[in-house]
Amino acid sequence: MFSKLAFKNVGRSMKDYGVWFLTIAFGVCLFYTFNSIDGQGAMVYLAQNQNPMVEPILMLIDIFSVFVAVVLACLILYANRFLLRRRKRELGTYLLLGLSQGQVSRLLFLETGVVGLLSLAAGLGLGVAASYGMSALTLSMFEMDVSDLLAITFSPGAAVKTVLYFGLIFLLVMLFSGVQVSRAKLIDLMQGERKNEVLKPRPLGVAVFQFLLGVVFLAAAYAILLTFGMAIAVAVLPICVPMLTLGTLGTLLIFRSLSGFVLKFVQGRPRLYYKNLNLFTLRQWISKVHSTYLAQTVVCILLLLAIGITASSVGLNSTIESMTGYQSPFDITVQNRNADALGPMDFDALLEEHGVNSSALSWQQDTIFYYNDASVTGIEEASAAVRLSDYNALLARQGEPGYSGPLPHLQEGSDVTLTTGNLGLSYLIIPDEMASELKIRRQVWSADYAGNPEETEAEVMAALRQFQEENWYLSINSRLTIYQEAMGNKILALFLGLYLGSMFMLATVLIIYYKQISEGYEDHDRFRIMQQVGMSRKEVKRAINKQILLV
């Protein structure tokens, strides 16, 4: 009997259960997607290349999964509370017909169990599709062809973990529902929709003081953030705790003061206060600000976290990418640090000797750095010098304009600006003819690959490593190697940013939605009465829109 009644109730209350269904389905989808990271193409690539960031990424995902599960549990509890508020009269009717509170709790358990299983299945299906999308997104950051790693996969481990967490959350929700039903009185359930909130007047002076104090606290929190920066403010506990405390208290005080501050402000302007339905709309909104300022504070904090984490993730990815390009502007860069003693090397002959044809390279450049001699250049601060033609050739390969600054001469050396590159040298740009008067200090050979970067890299690196084993003075810098090391950091920042940002944004949207839709149900009779006393449907609709806009 209970099963039959439960299925009928689900079908009859599909409008209410639909929101609950979507909440769980999206939560399960998000949870599965980020726990299936170990089977996604980006992580497979990093694991194949033995990137040391693989284990830290998986460990941090596991840690944050617990945190997100707590947020998801609170969100589902909030949704369940909304359902119970909507069905108070129905539950009271069951008690009036003779069902015990235990039987009503059992009925709720069956109903939510049916919807929960459906939403779990739908969430896992969406999660598989979202996991494929996330894999495509992360692989698109790679500067090489890794399309063979893109495939739709199902992660049994992530599915089991998702089902386990969902089961624990579901039991928690059922326990909460059972406690609420067991404590509820029949009269409260039958007349729950008729109870109005009492709007207690608040002195204007107190409201203004709370508002100003909230503004001061909020300004102090942002001052700490802007003074120390995001990284330090979040990572250092003695700075993070006061900043978050002041920000939360400031937001709380601002919302709490609105119920007295705004109402008094508008009442002092009768033409605005009594225009159309402004009186009714304002008092409706103020009564809800008075009773739900805690929820509004939580919404603000969630928005701060969602926007801040997502923006920081995108910014950090851009920073890592630009740093990678600075550290290795060419496919491979080799420094001959013994060129002052042995002279420049012939890298073409070295590669040919080890079976690497010159056609494997699309471009190469030998750049000689010279010891700076102040008696020749007129500049004492520089540690090295490079010819103008070599420097311009490097700039041209990077798509940058040639050097047009002053060149050193004995008479005007003080006007020359030193250039600092990624080789650990501060060097001068000198005229080509001046180089013949200076001694060779270092040789830097740069090249870009013509064919497949990974295959060419393997051939070139094998030749150079073999020579390097006997000649310690070669320093090899590969763009691909640096890129693979940076990809671990990029994926960690991207995954955590999207994971936490998406979760907080989902929670924010759903809390606002539940709040508005539940208040809409409660206000339905009030707006119906407004129409009965002569207000047009258009005026009532305008009042509702104003109320939502204020929120």
Side-chain angles (χ1 to χ4, degrees):
M1 182 188 76
F2 278 104
S3 300
K4 187 176 180 180
L5 182 59
F7 278 106
K8 284 186 176 181
N9 284 344
V10 170
R12 188 173 60 251
S13 305
M14 186 54 68
K15 185 177 180 180
D16 298 330
Y17 273 115
V19 182
W20 202 82
F21 172 85
L22 291 175
T23 301
I24 297 180
F26 280 116
V28 168
C29 170
L30 194 64
F31 198 82
Y32 171 85
T33 301
F34 286 92
N35 280 281
S36 63
I37 181 177
D38 57 335
Q40 295 181 21
M43 292 300 295
V44 171
Y45 176 82
L46 294 180
Q48 289 175 350
N49 288 276
Q50 299 180 342
N51 193 293
M53 288 299 298
V54 172
E55 290 186 8
I57 291 175
L58 296 178
M59 182 182 68
L60 285 173
I61 288 292
D62 288 339
I63 293 173
F64 280 103
S65 292
V66 177
F67 174 71
V68 171
V70 174
V71 176
L72 184 60
C74 295
L75 190 61
I76 294 176
L77 283 172
Y78 195 90
N80 191 67
R81 183 184 174 191
F82 160 73
L83 279 177
L84 292 178
R85 289 176 65 185
R86 286 281 299 128
R87 302 183 64 193
K88 276 185 178 181
R89 191 177 184 84
E90 180 186 345
L91 298 178
T93 302
Y94 288 138
L95 293 175
L96 194 62
L97 291 174
L99 293 181
S100 66
Q101 290 176 326
Q103 289 174 317
V104 173
S105 298
R106 179 183 169 190
L107 182 63
L108 283 175
F109 179 84
L110 290 173
E111 290 179 17
T112 51
V114 170
V115 179
L117 288 175
L118 291 175
S119 58
L120 177 62
L124 288 175
L126 287 173
V128 172
S131 178
Y132 175 80
M134 181 61 69
S135 181
L137 174 64
T138 52
L139 286 176
S140 67
M141 298 188 304
F142 287 74
E143 296 179 357
M144 61 202 74
D145 184 15
V146 286
S147 55
D148 57 315
L149 298 174
L150 185 60
I152 297 178
T153 57
F154 178 76
S155 173
V160 170
K161 188 175 181 179
T162 302
V163 172
L164 178 62
Y165 274 87
F166 172 79
L168 293 174
I169 293 173
F170 182 76
L171 291 177
L172 180 64
V173 169
M174 290 302 97
L175 178 63
F176 178 79
S177 301
V179 170
Q180 275 201 316
V181 172
S182 64
R183 290 183 177 180
K185 296 179 181 180
L186 180 59
I187 187 67
D188 293 333
L189 293 174
M190 297 301 295
Q191 298 185 355
E193 296 177 357
R194 300 181 182 178
K195 294 183 69 175
N196 294 321
E197 297 178 2
V198 179
L199 179 59
K200 297 180 180 179
R202 188 168 296 165
L204 179 60
V206 174
V208 172
F209 175 76
Q210 288 180 341
F211 181 81
L212 294 176
L213 189 61
V215 170
V216 171
F217 283 172
L218 204 57
Y222 277 104
I224 294 174
L225 177 64
L226 296 174
T227 301
F228 293 97
M230 175 67 77
I232 297 177
V234 173
V236 181
L237 199 60
I239 299 175
C240 179
V241 172
M243 181 186 68
L244 292 178
T245 302
L246 287 171
T248 303
L249 285 176
T251 307
L252 190 67
L253 286 171
I254 288 174
F255 278 117
R256 183 176 174 82
S257 67
L258 288 179
S259 58
F261 181 67
V262 175
L263 183 61
K264 292 290 184 181
F265 177 80
V266 179
Q267 282 178 337
R269 289 156 179 77
R271 293 182 62 181
L272 176 63
Y273 187 59
Y274 293 108
K275 183 180 179 181
N276 298 328
L277 293 180
N278 285 357
L279 184 152
F280 174 76
T281 303
L282 184 64
R283 294 188 70 87
Q284 281 288 100
W285 179 69
I286 290 298
S287 69
K288 289 162 186 172
V289 170
H290 182 73
S291 60
T292 61
Y293 61 86
L294 284 173
Q296 289 172 317
T297 302
V298 171
V299 166
C300 286
I301 294 172
L302 288 174
L303 273 175
L304 169 69
L305 293 173
I307 297 171
I309 290 173
T310 305
S312 298
S313 169
V314 174
L316 184 57
N317 270 286
S318 300
T319 302
I320 293 173
E321 187 172 349
S322 62
M323 289 176 62
T324 304
Y326 173 77
Q327 291 175 348
S328 184
F330 308 109
D331 285 341
I332 190 163
T333 302
V334 183
Q335 294 187 50
N336 176 10
R337 293 177 294 188
N338 207 19
D340 54 351
L342 300 179
M345 291 175 51
D346 187 348
F347 282 94
D348 274 338
L350 173 64
L351 295 178
E352 290 283 354
E353 182 183 341
H354 290 83
V356 180
N357 196 290
S358 59
S359 61
L361 305 177
S362 63
W363 172 88
Q364 59 177 311
Q365 167 78 24
D366 245 333
T367 305
I368 303 298
F369 285 82
Y370 300 89
Y371 283 106
N372 178 44
D373 186 347
S375 63
V376 176
T377 63
I379 305 295
E380 296 183 357
E381 294 85 355
S383 60
V386 64
R387 295 192 308 169
L388 176 63
S389 59
D390 289 340
Y391 187 68
N392 281 339
L394 296 175
L395 290 178
R397 185 60 184 176
Q398 298 176 66
E400 298 180 11
Y403 179 76
S404 58
L407 297 175
H409 298 284
L410 289 175
Q411 296 84 356
E412 49 185 14
S414 58
D415 296 330
V416 178
T417 303
L418 298 182
T419 302
T420 304
N422 59 349
L423 303 175
L425 299 172
S426 58
Y427 51 86
L428 289 170
I429 313 300
I430 60 173
D432 287 14
E433 59 272 13
M434 188 179 286
S436 60
E437 303 178 52
L438 301 176
K439 294 181 179 179
I440 294 177
R441 174 172 181 169
R442 187 177 300 182
Q443 176 192 15
V444 177
W445 178 77
S446 307
D448 285 333
Y449 303 138
N452 182 284
E454 292 183 298
E455 294 177 0
T456 309
E457 170 99 346
E459 295 176 3
V460 173
M461 290 295 286
L464 293 174
R465 295 290 186 199
Q466 187 174 348
F467 182 81
Q468 189 185 36
E469 290 177 1
E470 301 176 0
N471 303 275
W472 57 267
Y473 47 82
L474 277 193
S475 173
I476 305 172
N477 193 12
S478 163
R479 174 191 284 173
L480 190 60
T481 303
I482 293 175
Y483 179 75
Q484 289 172 347
E485 293 173 355
M487 279 308 302
N489 295 321
K490 287 186 67 174
I491 290 175
L492 175 62
L494 180 68
F495 266 88
L496 290 184
L498 290 179
Y499 190 15
L500 298 178
S502 301
M503 191 67 236
F504 287 131
M505 187 60 72
L506 176 66
T508 302
V509 171
L510 289 175
I511 287 175
I512 293 175
Y513 177 78
Y514 285 132
K515 185 175 182 298
Q516 290 304 108
I517 197 173
S518 61
E519 290 174 358
Y521 282 128
E522 293 171 359
D523 292 342
H524 180 270
D525 291 337
R526 297 184 179 95
F527 284 109
R528 182 173 52 82
I529 294 173
M530 297 297 291
Q531 287 182 279
Q532 290 175 350
V533 298
M535 296 298 175
S536 67
R537 185 177 182 85
K538 184 177 180 180
E539 289 175 317
V540 172
K541 187 176 180 180
R542 188 186 299 121
I544 295 173
N545 290 336
K546 286 182 180 179
Q547 190 171 321
I548 294 174
L549 181 61
L550 284 171
V551 173

